[in-house]
């Protein structure tokens, strides 16, 4: 067993990953910039270290670890913020760890399926060419390259875990789908426990060294079908629907929002399954059960 795991940017996914690894007997330290973030880590039951990953001095003092998970958030949608965290800070972290007397064995970088761009509703997987459509997703593509190539320069195996849409506690967003209008398209989702669980599995089972793994559930969901299922389970009427063209008539939509609406793909988890990971929530039906039960308890029963 490794001596220590460092989770950098230990937020929504990182805290869940830390819980799971701690429960499995690993020594985990989570890194956050704020005092409140560190307090949340400690409340989750493992060690916290306060540091700003954009500060070179703070990066040089990050805890030693044999496994490093870079799960930081840019804190916004703009490309400039993404560049600072996903490219510049990631590169600084890899260089700092790589130049230590005992560099990490592995680094896992958590990316996004936004790197794929539009595929007209067709399936994508790890072999699909990347086609980012915004400045931010172009930054994410560069970050994936850094995670693997720069890590390799220091003898660190860099793995990219490419997450689809994250959901779970505090991120179910029931009102969006129950109230509508719901725009047509596909939802590619993964529950927080499985996003964290997949990263933990790749590390513990020693899978996908220097590779890319698409982390998503078994069933890309048609948005209208999902919204109607959710309404039925919650005991309310089906929400109003709209086509993409109807949605695009909104003059207040930003160009980035328009691109997101027009971007359509279905993500395959075939490789993740092939590697041996067993999903706790294979589809939204299992993943949304807790949210549905809570809604019914508060509003109907």
């Amino acid at each position: 067993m490794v001596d220590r795991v460092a989770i950098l940017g230990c937020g929504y996914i990182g805290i869940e990953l830390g819980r799971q690894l701690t429960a499995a007997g690993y020594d985990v330290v989570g890194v956050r910039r704020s005092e409140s973030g560190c307090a949340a880590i400690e409340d989750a039951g493992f060690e916290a270290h306060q540091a700003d990953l954009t500060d070179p001095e703070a990066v040089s003092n990050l805890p030693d670890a044999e496994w490093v998970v870079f799960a930081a958030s840019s804190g916004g949608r703009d490309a400039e913020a993404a560049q600072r965290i996903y490219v510049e800070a990631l590169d600084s972290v890899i260089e700092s760890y790589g130049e230590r007397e005992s560099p990490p064995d592995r680094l896992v970088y958590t990316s996004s399926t936004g790197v794929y761009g539009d595929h007209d509703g067709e399936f994508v997987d790890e072999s699909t060419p990347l086609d980012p459509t915004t400045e931010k997703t172009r930054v994410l593509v560069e970050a994936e390259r850094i995670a693997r190539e720069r890590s390799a320069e220091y003898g660190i195996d860099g793995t990219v875990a490419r997450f689809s849409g994250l959901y779970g506690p505090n991120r179910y967003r029931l009102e969006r789908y129950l109230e509508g209008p719901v725009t047509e398209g596909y939802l590619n989702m993964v529950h927080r426990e499985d996003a964290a669980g997949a990263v933990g599995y790749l590390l513990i089972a020693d899978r996908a060294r220097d590779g890319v793994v698409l982390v998503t559930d078994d069933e890309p969901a048609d948005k209208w079908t999902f919204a109607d299922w959710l309404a039925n389970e919650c005991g309310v009427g089906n929400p109003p629907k709209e086509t993409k063209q109807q949605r695009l008539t909104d003059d207040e939509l930003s160009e980035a929002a328009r691109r997101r609406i027009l971007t359509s793909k279905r993500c395959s988890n075939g490789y993740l399954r092939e590697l041996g990971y067993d999903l706790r929530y294979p589809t939204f039906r299992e993943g949304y059960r807790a949210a549905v039960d809570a809604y019914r308890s508060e509003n109907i029963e």
Side-chain angles (χ1 to χ4, degrees):
M1 181 176 288
V2 300
D3 290 333
R4 172 164 280 201
V5 185
I7 304 173
L8 313 185
C10 191
Y12 190 66
I13 296 302
I15 284 179
E16 177 61 26
L17 174 60
R19 285 195 195 102
Q20 293 183 20
L21 290 174
T22 300
Y26 289 86
D27 179 16
V28 183
V29 56
V31 176
R32 289 282 288 273
R33 180 172 55 187
S34 68
E35 290 184 8
S36 60
C38 287
I41 292 170
E42 292 173 346
D43 288 345
F46 55 101
E47 180 185 346
H49 176 91
Q50 188 172 353
D52 182 346
L53 298 178
T54 64
D55 179 352
E57 183 177 353
V59 168
S60 69
N61 291 315
L62 289 173
D64 287 332
E66 290 175 82
W67 293 343
V68 175
V69 178
F70 191 98
S73 168
S74 65
R77 291 185 179 275
D78 64 281
E80 184 177 344
Q83 176 76 19
R84 286 195 299 271
I85 293 295
Y86 301 133
V87 171
E88 295 170 11
L90 175 61
D91 187 75
S92 176
V93 163
I94 293 171
E95 180 179 1
S96 174
Y97 273 110
E99 292 181 346
R100 298 185 184 191
E101 184 176 345
S102 298
D105 176 54
R106 292 191 68 176
L107 176 137
V108 175
Y109 166 69
T110 61
S111 186
S112 162
T113 55
V115 297
Y116 286 111
D118 180 37
H119 287 270
D120 197 26
E122 296 299 316
F123 273 94
V124 299
D125 61 19
E126 291 81 0
S127 67
T128 303
L130 304 186
D131 185 23
T133 58
T134 67
E135 286 300 319
K136 181 175 180 179
T137 53
R138 282 188 277 275
V139 169
L140 296 181
V141 170
E142 173 64 7
E144 288 194 3
R145 183 194 67 79
I146 289 171
R148 298 178 67 196
E149 295 182 8
R150 284 284 281 156
S151 294
E153 292 176 14
Y154 294 100
I156 303 168
D157 284 318
T159 300
V160 172
R162 198 176 281 160
F163 293 154
S164 63
L166 298 167
Y167 75 99
N170 302 316
R171 288 198 187 182
Y172 287 111
R173 303 182 179 95
L174 289 185
E175 291 75 13
R176 175 193 296 182
Y177 296 104
L178 294 179
E179 297 174 4
V182 179
T183 307
E184 67 178 322
Y186 289 106
L187 286 169
N188 297 282
M189 298 184 284
V190 62
H191 193 282
R192 175 177 71 168
E193 288 186 27
D194 279 317
V199 171
Y201 177 78
L202 295 177
L203 291 169
I204 295 170
D206 197 24
R207 299 286 193 269
R209 282 181 175 267
D210 188 30
V212 177
V213 181
L214 204 167
V215 181
T216 191
D217 69 17
D218 288 345
E219 185 180 331
D222 175 87
K223 289 183 181 180
W224 289 357
T225 300
F226 168 71
D228 286 348
W229 174 87
L230 194 60
N232 181 67
E233 293 296 310
C234 287
V236 301
N238 290 346
K241 317 290 196 307
E242 63 182 3
T243 65
K244 292 184 178 183
Q245 290 307 314
Q246 288 172 320
R247 180 74 176 104
L248 290 170
T249 61
D250 185 348
D251 294 334
E252 295 184 1
L253 284 176
S254 66
E255 182 60 30
R258 290 177 182 277
R259 290 180 181 178
R260 285 194 296 273
I261 291 167
L262 292 171
T263 297
S264 179
K265 59 184 177 291
R266 284 178 286 174
C267 296
S268 168
N269 68 3
Y271 183 47
L272 179 65
R273 286 293 202 178
E274 180 184 323
L275 291 172
Y277 182 68
D278 187 19
L279 288 156
R280 304 177 186 192
Y281 302 98
T283 75
F284 62 84
R285 296 173 191 83
E286 297 85 10
Y288 269 80
R289 179 50 51 197
V292 167
D293 290 346
Y295 181 90
R296 293 186 67 93
S297 176
E298 294 174 7
N299 297 278
I300 297 177
E301 297 176 357

